[in-house]
Every structure is written in C-alpha cells, then in structure tokens.
C-alpha cells in the first residue's frame, strides 16, 4: 500500500479511486480533522496556532503571505510522506481550501521535485475523457507496490505488544 | 481506570446510482446497529463514528452499487457549528461547490469503472482455456455485425 498524494488535495474522485485500488490517499481532510477535533482549542474556530505559519516556513520563504505558509503547514507534512502522486490539471474550481493559487503552484512544484512517480492527467469533461482518465489512474495505481507500509507493521507490532502486556 | 477514546472519523458517502437512494443506504446503516451518527444529504450521506465501525459500514454501503458509490473523508464532524448551515444563516457550506462540480462528473466516472471491471473479467476469462460459450459467440457475432 503506497501513500498517494492527490491534487486537488480535497478531491472526492481521486481520494475514492486511490482507496478503491488499494492505496492510501493523502488528503487535506485528514489534516483538517486533526486540527478541528483535537481537544486543546488554542485559537477557535479552526485551532490554528501561531506555530503553524512558522511550520510553513520550512516550505515557503518569510516574504510569502502568511496564508500560503499556513496552508503549507498542513500540506507540507503530507508531501513529506508522499510515495506517489496524481496531479489533475485544470480542475473545474479552485476555491475553498484549495483556493490559493500560489499554494497550489508551490505544492505541485514540491511534489514534482520530490522524485516520486507522478501521474499528470487532465480533468475529464466528457464520457470518453472520463474513461481515459480512469484507465490512466487505474494503470498507474496498479503499477505501485501493494505491500504493507512500515506504519502498518508498526501498528501491528504495537498491538501485539499491548496484548502481551495485558496477559 | 480511564479508557482512551477511540479515534472518530467522518466520511462522505456520495451516491450517484440508479439503483440505490441515500435513504436506502441510510436504512442499511440503521439496520446494522453500529453506534454511528448518520446524516442524510442531497448527494448521499455523512457518517460519523469510531474508525473501525465506519470503515465496515462504508464497505457494506459501497457493495450496494460498487462503481457508483463514492467515499471520501471529511474533516468536520456532522452538525459542527463551524460548518453547519443552521448556525451560519443558510447558504451552501464551504467546500460544497467543489463537491457539486465533482458530483456532476460521477456518472461518467462510474461508467468508466464499469467498463474497466468488464474488461478485467474478459481478460481473466481469456487466461483460462475453455470452450467458447454459445452466448459469448453470439455476442461477438452481434458486435461484428453492428460495426
């Protein structure tokens, strides 16, 4: 199971296809969940702390707007875990949490320069294009290794040690 | 002894099927008796609960119409005041616009997945050496004649 970065980072279609073909999608939603459901609410409503833009400094310079750095503090850790990526060009809308085009450009640049296998496809606008889109993604995902990741092994080992501890 | 709280997850189940309605999927979840929160929406369901429960339920729902039911994670729990329209004075919630754009493309994606599945079945069949069924031969002839 490979960790696959997707762009647009909150895409339903891509997240579903990646999961469907047996891999783990790296999405914005999981990062947001950690932010909004953690108990220590430092700065309501979204739990963004002054530390977040500082974390973003790892990916963007100080002159860059704080919004970009704030977004990168969520997206950056995902890029670090990336083992493969699917980038969809010209998605229909670029608003909401992926609305910042500078962040999008930086994200795509970082993913491309990471040296992992990247599939770049165009957003489908007709049935034929959709067929081509799904076929390309399926072939790409099937070419990725399906072995269990190190994290799964770690989690298993931890569970086993917990069981032994209980005994 | 304090018990650690299980990890809670929320998932969108987007239904773009001719056979399954969001209400059917919701009924299926109620029947399963898992302790999860279900919210029916215009495009499908929002399911929230313990990670393992939600994972099992999502797989069960997906099996109702495998290639036409799509699932993704959601950051905010259902009814969260920061996103809920009831407390924000109406209007679409942030993030809905992108979902709506993608939902329009789902029938085509579903059809493409159907085709992909059919192709895989054919290649699997080809691997096994067996006699050609008359029904398959009939299909081949009809396809050739239709050209």
């Amino acid at each position: 199971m490979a960790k696959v970065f997707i762009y647009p980072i909150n895409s339903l279609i891509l997240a579903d296809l990646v999961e469907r073909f047996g891999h783990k999608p790296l999405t914005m939603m999981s990062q947001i969940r950690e932010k909004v459901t953690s108990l220590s609410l430092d700065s309501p409503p979204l739990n963004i702390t002054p530390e977040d833009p500082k974390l973003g400094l790892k990916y963007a310079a100080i002159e860059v707007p704080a919004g970009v750095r704030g977004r990168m503090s969520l997206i950056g850790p995902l890029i670090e875990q990336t083992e493969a990526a699917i980038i969809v060009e010209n998605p229909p809308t670029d608003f909401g949490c992926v609305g910042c085009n500078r962040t999008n450009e930086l994200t795509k640049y970082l993913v491309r320069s990471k040296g992992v296998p990247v599939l770049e496809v165009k957003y489908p606008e007709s049935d034929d294009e959709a067929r081509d889109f799904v076929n390309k993604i399926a072939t790409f995902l099937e070419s990725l290794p399906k072995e269990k990741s190190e994290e799964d092994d770690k989690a298993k080992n931890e569970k086993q040690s917990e069981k032994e501890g209980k005994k | 002894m304090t018990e650690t709280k299980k990890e809670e997850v929320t998932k969108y189940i987007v239904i773009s099927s001719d056979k399954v309605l969001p209400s059917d999927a919701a009924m299926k979840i109620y029947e399963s008796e898992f302790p999860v929160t279900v919210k029916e929406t215009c495009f499908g369901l929002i399911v929230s609960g313990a990670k393992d429960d939600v994972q099992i339920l999502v797989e069960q729902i997906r099996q109702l119409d495998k290639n036409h039911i799509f699932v993704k994670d959601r950051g905010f729990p259902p009814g969260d005041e920061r996103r809920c329209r009831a407390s924000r004075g109406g209007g679409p919630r942030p993030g809905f616009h992108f979902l709506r754009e993608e939902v329009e493309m789902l029938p085509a994606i579903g059809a493409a997945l159907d085709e992909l599945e059919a192709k895989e079945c054919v290649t699997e069949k080809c691997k096994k050496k067996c006699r050609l069924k008359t029904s398959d031969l009939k299909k081949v002839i009809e396809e050739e004649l239709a050209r």
Side-chain angles (χ1 to χ4, degrees):
Chain A
M1 189 195 282
K3 289 177 181 172
V4 183
F5 183 86
I6 55 173
Y7 174 86
I9 199 159
N10 57 353
S11 168
L12 161 73
I13 297 173
L14 290 179
D16 182 86
L17 287 177
V18 170
E19 220 171 288
R20 199 178 279 265
F21 289 101
H23 297 284
K24 190 188 172 199
L26 296 172
T27 57
M28 187 69 141
M29 292 78 84
S30 55
Q31 295 291 91
I32 294 286
R33 185 194 305 137
E34 276 176 31
K35 279 279 164 207
V36 299
T37 56
S38 57
L39 288 172
S40 57
L41 200 68
D42 291 306
S43 173
L46 298 179
N47 226 5
I48 297 290
T49 63
E51 290 303 310
D52 287 314
K54 284 184 203 164
L55 187 68
L57 272 176
K58 196 174 171 188
Y59 310 99
I62 189 83
E63 295 88 358
V64 170
V68 175
R69 283 186 281 132
R71 287 178 175 92
M72 286 314 292
S73 70
L74 295 175
I75 301 171
L78 291 179
I79 297 175
E80 281 178 15
Q81 298 173 40
T82 302
E83 290 167 355
I86 300 173
I87 294 176
V88 175
E89 284 301 339
N90 71 336
T93 44
D94 263 345
F95 44 77
C97 72
V98 290
C100 174
N101 201 35
R102 294 289 164 262
T103 314
N104 292 341
E105 282 172 6
L106 181 61
T107 305
K108 283 189 270 184
Y109 168 75
L110 288 174
V111 170
R112 284 178 188 135
S113 58
K114 198 172 184 320
V116 292
V118 178
L119 174 73
E120 300 208 22
V121 278
K122 219 177 124 248
Y123 191 83
E125 281 165 4
S126 64
D127 288 359
D128 287 341
E129 282 179 17
R131 196 182 305 133
D132 198 36
F133 177 82
V134 171
N135 283 340
K136 275 183 187 167
I137 291 176
T139 324
F140 175 72
L141 291 172
E142 273 160 15
S143 71
L144 299 174
K146 289 225 168 175
E147 287 161 20
K148 283 183 180 176
S149 65
E150 282 177 16
E151 264 189 22
D152 291 338
D153 292 339
K154 269 185 192 174
K156 261 193 176 181
N157 289 337
E158 276 173 15
K159 270 188 184 176
Q160 273 185 352
S161 57
E162 271 178 24
K163 275 183 186 177
E164 281 167 11
K166 277 182 185 174
K167 281 176 189 175
Chain B
M1 284 261 295
T2 52
E3 201 175 306
T4 51
K5 204 184 171 190
K6 282 181 185 174
E7 194 189 346
E8 294 244 328
V9 294
T10 307
K11 298 237 183 206
Y12 278 128
I13 300 178
V14 181
I15 297 170
S16 142
S17 168
D18 299 330
K19 292 186 277 182
V20 184
L21 290 172
S23 54
D24 299 332
M27 285 313 290
K28 180 101 181 160
I29 294 177
Y30 295 136
E31 281 166 18
S32 70
E33 294 181 359
F34 275 101
V36 293
T37 310
V38 185
K39 190 181 176 202
E40 218 174 299
T41 66
C42 55
F43 52 81
L45 302 171
I46 299 173
V47 185
S48 181
K51 194 178 179 182
D52 296 341
D53 295 348
V54 172
Q55 210 83 354
I56 294 166
L57 275 178
V58 160
E59 272 316 304
Q60 282 178 6
I61 298 296
R62 211 201 274 267
Q63 290 313 314
L64 293 176
D65 192 359
K66 210 170 68 180
N67 295 334
H68 299 271
I69 292 179
F70 297 82
V71 180
K72 85 162 180 174
D73 270 322
R74 189 192 183 196
F76 288 86
D80 191 291
E81 277 195 5
R82 291 163 288 189
R83 281 293 181 273
C84 186
R85 293 185 300 154
S87 50
R88 291 174 62 251
R93 59 163 182 75
F96 177 70
H97 303 287
F98 190 66
L99 190 66
R100 187 176 56 183
E101 288 289 337
E102 287 202 297
V103 165
E104 278 173 17
M105 208 59 227
L106 289 183
I109 300 286
L113 283 169
D114 281 339
E115 272 183 32
L116 195 71
E117 202 181 12
K119 245 188 234 172
E120 270 174 19
C121 288
V122 170
T123 48
E124 269 177 28
K125 271 184 191 172
C126 289
K127 279 176 191 170
K128 292 174 194 168
K129 278 189 179 177
C130 59
R131 284 185 180 177
L132 185 65
K133 282 183 189 171
T134 43
S135 56
D136 289 341
L137 180 63
K138 205 177 165 187
K139 266 186 198 171
V140 173
I141 293 168
E142 278 169 1
E143 277 173 16
E144 284 297 317
L145 288 174
R147 276 185 187 180

